[in-house]
Amino acid sequence: MKVTVNQYIQACESCIRAKHSNRAPVGLLQPIDLPNKPWEEITYDLIVGLPLSEGYDAIFTVVDCLSKMVHFIPTTSEATAVDI
């Protein structure tokens, strides 16, 4: 009987539309905390695979999260974390 009921529900279009979600309800969105002053919070990235220019083949980018000011620092793709 269980198999027959499951087959009927899977074939019934209105049953599929009215099916309840088995997930927990989502919570309220949490606002992102903004930094209080410039350069208090930063993000960074390393762009590699660029053509060689004046001995550099990569760019280290540092972005301030508050003002969105960016610094582009030329470097090489062989640079280690200590070099950066």
Side-chain angles (χ1 to χ4, degrees), residues 6-29:
N6 283 338
Q7 288 175 348
Y8 176 79
I9 291 172
Q10 290 175 356
C12 177
E13 192 172 320
S14 63
C15 294
I16 293 171
R17 285 190 205 152
K19 182 179 177 183
H20 294 286
S21 175
N22 58 356
R23 296 183 179 169
V26 294
L28 297 174
L29 295 176

Side-chain angles (χ1 to χ4, degrees), residues 3-83:
V3 174
T4 307
V5 171
N6 283 338
Q7 288 175 348
Y8 176 79
I9 291 172
Q10 290 175 356
C12 177
E13 192 172 320
S14 63
C15 294
I16 293 171
R17 285 190 205 152
K19 182 179 177 183
H20 294 286
S21 175
N22 58 356
R23 296 183 179 169
V26 294
L28 297 174
L29 295 176
Q30 301 296 320
I32 297 173
D33 294 331
L34 293 175
N36 295 325
K37 56 186 176 182
W39 300 104
E40 183 177 63
E41 191 171 327
I42 62 168
T43 61
Y44 54 89
D45 196 10
L46 190 63
I47 303 169
V48 296
L50 301 173
L52 196 62
S53 173
E54 297 180 15
Y56 301 110
D57 64 347
I59 300 173
F60 181 63
T61 61
V62 183
V63 182
D64 174 36
C65 292
L66 180 65
S67 67
K68 305 299 185 215
M69 181 183 283
V70 181
H71 288 285
F72 298 103
I73 304 165
T75 187
T76 62
S77 57
E78 288 84 25
T80 64
V82 175
D83 296 336

